Amino acid sequence: MEQKGLLLVLSGPSGCGKGTMVKELISREGQIEVSRSATSRAPREGEVDGLHYDFVSRERFEEMIKNGEVLEYTQYNGNYYGTQKAQVETMLA
């Protein structure tokens, strides 16, 4: 039987410590991978597409929603943020 990974979701408001928890989990268990969110906002200074976020246009993000390509998403300050389904499926495999 093929064994797949386990999906864990850490959810909470900005600044509550999700990043700190992830860093601690990674330091204790090296086989953890962290998904990279997609966003429709412009990159901030120093952010790299494909490293910090997958930066896409608003139109592309709405297309991703329509096509069921995101597991979850939200809008914050007029921009979309979400988790891409294909990326998570690849990590779980």
Side-chain angles (χ1 to χ4, degrees):
M1 177 180 266
E2 182 181 339
Q3 186 172 350
K4 291 192 174 192
L6 173 67
L7 176 64
L8 299 174
V9 177
L10 292 179
S11 178
S14 180
C16 74
K18 297 180 302 290
T20 301
M21 290 288 296
V22 168
K23 287 177 188 175
E24 183 63 24
L25 286 169
I26 290 171
S27 75
R28 293 177 184 218
E29 176 58 57
Q31 294 183 350
I32 292 176
E33 294 186 57
V34 179
S35 69
R36 181 180 57 253
S37 295
T39 183
S40 64
R41 75 164 170 78
R44 296 181 183 134
E45 187 174 329
E47 288 181 327
V48 177
D49 183 38
L51 177 63
H52 299 101
Y53 286 94
D54 288 336
F55 294 99
V56 299
S57 68
R58 181 174 188 81
E59 294 77 20
R60 173 63 184 127
F61 205 109
E62 289 173 345
E63 186 178 297
M64 291 164 56
I65 294 167
K66 180 181 167 188
N67 295 335
E69 297 174 43
V70 290
L71 293 173
E72 56 78 31
Y73 68 95
T74 191
Q75 282 194 64
Y76 179 74
N77 285 340
N79 297 300
Y80 286 109
Y81 294 82
T83 305
Q84 297 172 87
K85 185 177 181 180
Q87 183 186 110
V88 172
E89 288 173 342
T90 298
M91 288 190 295
L92 287 172

